[in-house]
């Protein structure tokens, strides 16, 4: 049985953990053994126990902390026994200037760990992880491009692969036949940071949610695809497939369904009960997920102000990233602090994916009229899978899919009057007039398994000649 290592660089971010659960299940049901390397298992163990009987022997999880604490056999590291200058050169090759700077702070860090009580260290570590997760959630971090270090703000491959190395040395852990990175969007791209991908014979692939060339055909492809061990990637946006295949003909790129975890709790959650109680017989419009500027929140506030409070009840639920709103921040803060009678606002993530789904099931319309967003979103899969119509922005990939499948309606982004008119139209339509089943099937776990069943053998095949990675063709 071949082993596939799933590497999730930023666990604790809602739908990314859902991908851990769903891809683990899909791979196990296809006959592979899965080893997850991540900060947490994202609820995968419990999910598989509920939904994939007999998977316990085919799923393993090792946290970053466990990997760090594991003490592999001596002298296994390629840096062992080398001089300080030789070790510094290897660090520079793998991690660049930031790697060298990191090593410079290790001495005071070791002193800190030696003399500060463990309980205080753990508290500081929790605060640090929370700050890092918040920073990584900001789109600003994706745009960082300092002249001295274009990878500033990005996640390095080398520490993640070091964790994989340490996990492989644990008893009972096989070497990976394939490494699958569950989130490539924030990974480092410079050759000094991606060199670690070529130090082993492990082929690798990953999910790239926002491929650069999908938005601009002339844009250069992401630097990590120049790795000799790169086998391709999983995309969710159709235009990316042909463009990357043309630029990197020896790799295999696939279009995967935008799957979603649709599990519901045994009973509606307390928050869902409260929203339904306050709404009464009014139409509930739900904005759920991270509350950021690109989600169209300022326009939604205009819609709320203009809507008939006797007909519509609005629920805004999710962690608010205030810094993304710029000059609109005071207005958004006021909206959360002084909610009118027909608004329920909750600043914070839901406790679980099942609670998230319970809230969608409680509402009548899912609001997703995003600003300048032309990528895929599993909010469509959530809405169709849970039988709720969705309102999205026109002239976008989401809009095209909604119109083609008949699972909701579209409106122009930024047009509060048009959005309100569309909400009135949806509210007037009977639920059975929407065609949820087709979209749900197209983006189901079974559809994902069909894609992976075709792709994985191509990624695993011996590519001795293909490993001599060709240079990009004119991009």
């Amino acid at each position: 049985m071949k082993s596939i290592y799933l590497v999730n660089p930023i666990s604790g971010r809602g739908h990314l953990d859902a991908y851990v659960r769903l891809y683990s299940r899909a791979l196990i049901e296809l006959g592979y053994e899965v080893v997850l390397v991540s900060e947490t298992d994202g609820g995968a163990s419990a999910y598989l126990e509920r939904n994939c009987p007999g998977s316990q022997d085919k799923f393993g999880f090792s946290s970053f902390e466990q990997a760090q604490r594991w003490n592999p056999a001596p002298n296994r590291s390629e840096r062992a026994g080398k001089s300080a200058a030789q070790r510094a050169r290897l660090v520079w090759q793998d991690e660049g200037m930031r790697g060298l700077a990191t090593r410079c702070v290790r001495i005071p860090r070791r002193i800190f760990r030696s003399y500060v009580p463990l309980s205080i260290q753990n508290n500081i570590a929790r605060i640090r992880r929370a700050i890092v997760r918040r920073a990584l959630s900001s789109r600003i971090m994706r745009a960082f491009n300092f002249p001295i270090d274009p990878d500033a703000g990005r996640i390095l491959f080398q520490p993640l692969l070091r964790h994989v190395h340490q996990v492989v040395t644990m008893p009972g852990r096989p070497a990976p036949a394939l490494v699958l990175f569950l989130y490539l969007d924030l990974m480092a791209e410079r050759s000094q940071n991606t060199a670690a991908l070529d130090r082993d014979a492990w082929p690798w692939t990953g999910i790239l949610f926002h491929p650069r060339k999908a938005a601009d055909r002339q844009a250069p492809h992401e630097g990590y695809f120049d790795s000799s061990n790169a086998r391709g990637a999983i995309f969710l946006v159709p235009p990316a497939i042909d463009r990357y295949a043309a630029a990197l003909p020896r790799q295999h790129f696939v279009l995967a369904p935008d799957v979603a975890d649709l599990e519901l709790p045994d009973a509606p959650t307390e928050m869902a009960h409260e929203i339904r109680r306050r709404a009464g017989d009014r139409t509930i419009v739900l904005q759920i997920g991270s509350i950021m500027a690109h989600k169209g929140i300022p326009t939604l506030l205009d819609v709320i102000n203009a809507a008939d409070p006797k007909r519509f009840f609005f629920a805004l639920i999710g962690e608010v990233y205030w810094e993304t709103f710029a000059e609109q921040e005071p207005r958004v803060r006021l909206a959360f602090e002084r909610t009118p009678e027909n608004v329920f606002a909750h600043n914070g993530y839901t406790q679980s994916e099942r609670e998230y789904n319970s809230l969608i099931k409680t509402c009548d319309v899912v609001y997703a009229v995003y600003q300048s967003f032309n990528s895929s979103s599993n909010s469509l899969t959530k809405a169709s899978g849970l039988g709720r119509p969705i309102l999205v922005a026109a002239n976008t990939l989401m809009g095209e899919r909604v119109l083609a499948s008949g699972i909701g309606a579209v409106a122009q982004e930024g047009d509060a009057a048009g959005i309100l008119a569309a909400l009135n139209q949806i509210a007037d339509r009977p639920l059975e007039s929407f065609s949820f089943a087709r979209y749900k099937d197209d983006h189901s776990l079974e559809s994902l398994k069909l894609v992976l069943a075709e792709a994985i053998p191509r990624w695993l095949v011996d590519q001795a000649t293909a490993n001599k990675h060709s240079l990009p063709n004119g991009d």
Side-chain angles (χ1 to χ4, degrees), residues 396-473:
T396 64
L397 176 61
M398 291 174 67
E400 291 172 9
R401 288 178 169 177
V402 165
L403 292 177
S405 58
I407 61 173
V410 301
Q412 293 296 329
E413 62 182 60
D415 180 5
I419 291 170
L420 183 55
L423 286 176
N424 276 291
Q425 291 173 4
I426 292 176
D428 287 337
R429 289 178 59 180
L431 201 58
E432 57 270 19
S433 69
F434 297 96
S435 305
F436 300 121
R438 178 183 169 188
Y439 193 90
K440 178 183 177 182
D441 290 344
D442 288 345
H443 293 267
S444 65
L445 186 73
E446 291 304 313
S447 295
L448 174 63
K449 286 164 61 177
L450 291 174
V451 171
L452 294 177
E454 184 275 334
I456 292 175
R458 296 188 62 174
W459 289 329
L460 292 179
V461 72
D462 180 14
Q463 297 188 3
T465 55
N467 274 357
K468 303 293 185 182
H469 193 280
S470 62
L471 292 175
N473 294 338

Side-chain angles (χ1 to χ4, degrees), residues 52-310:
C52 191
S55 62
Q56 292 84 347
D57 295 336
K58 300 176 183 177
F59 177 78
F61 165 64
S62 293
S63 69
F64 293 158
E65 184 178 4
Q66 289 170 332
Q68 286 172 332
R69 290 185 176 182
W70 177 251
N71 187 19
N75 297 324
R76 290 186 65 89
S77 170
E78 62 180 356
R79 295 173 192 163
K82 289 183 167 58
S83 68
Q86 290 171 324
R87 292 198 303 272
R89 184 171 7 176
L90 288 172
V91 171
W92 168 256
Q93 291 172 350
D94 282 351
E95 305 172 46
M97 180 61 71
R98 189 168 67 164
L100 292 175
T102 300
R103 298 310 189 278
C104 291
V105 302
R106 283 189 172 174
I107 294 177
R109 182 181 294 175
R110 287 170 182 164
I111 296 172
F112 171 79
R113 288 177 175 174
S114 299
Y115 294 100
V116 175
L118 185 60
S119 60
I120 296 177
Q121 292 184 39
N122 289 337
N123 287 333
I124 293 174
R126 278 194 292 271
I127 294 170
R128 178 180 57 80
R129 285 195 296 268
I131 293 171
V132 169
R133 282 197 296 268
R134 185 179 181 90
L136 289 173
S137 300
S138 172
R139 291 194 155 211
I140 297 171
M141 293 303 293
R142 295 177 59 201
F144 267 43
N145 192 23
F146 292 137
I148 7 180
D149 187 1
D151 278 342
R154 291 182 173 269
I155 301 170
L156 302 181
F157 282 101
Q158 196 272 342
L160 298 178
L161 291 169
R162 184 173 62 245
H163 294 325
V164 173
H165 267 289
Q166 291 166 316
V167 171
V168 169
T169 65
M170 294 177 177
R173 290 284 190 243
L178 179 72
V179 175
L180 195 160
F181 294 96
L182 285 160
Y183 190 53
L184 286 173
D185 293 72
L186 283 179
M187 298 307 298
E189 294 189 39
R190 288 182 68 193
S191 59
Q192 287 176 331
N193 289 331
T194 60
L197 292 165
D198 293 335
R199 313 200 107 184
D200 300 288
W202 303 332
W204 68 268
T205 183
I207 304 172
L208 184 58
F209 290 89
H210 306 287
R212 188 179 297 136
K213 292 179 74 66
D216 179 2
R217 184 187 298 272
Q218 302 305 318
H221 62 257
E222 290 74 6
Y224 38 72
F225 288 128
D226 288 330
S227 160
S228 62
N229 286 324
R231 293 294 189 265
I234 298 168
F235 297 144
L236 306 180
V237 288
I241 303 299
D242 291 342
R243 295 176 186 181
Y244 280 79
L248 300 161
R250 298 190 181 184
Q251 297 184 35
H252 183 53
F253 300 92
V254 297
L255 180 68
D258 204 338
V259 291
D261 183 342
L262 301 174
E263 271 196 304
L264 287 165
D266 295 333
T269 62
E270 183 178 340
M271 191 185 301
H273 269 304
E274 176 64 12
I275 291 171
R276 177 46 70 186
R277 183 192 67 79
R278 286 184 50 186
D281 60 358
R282 290 175 288 187
T283 298
I284 300 174
V285 179
L286 174 67
Q287 159 67 54
I288 189 168
S290 300
I291 306 293
M292 305 173 75
H294 84 277
K295 296 290 186 73
I297 304 303
T299 303
L300 177 56
L301 297 182
D302 292 336
V303 173
I304 292 171
N305 290 336
D308 181 356
K310 295 181 180 179

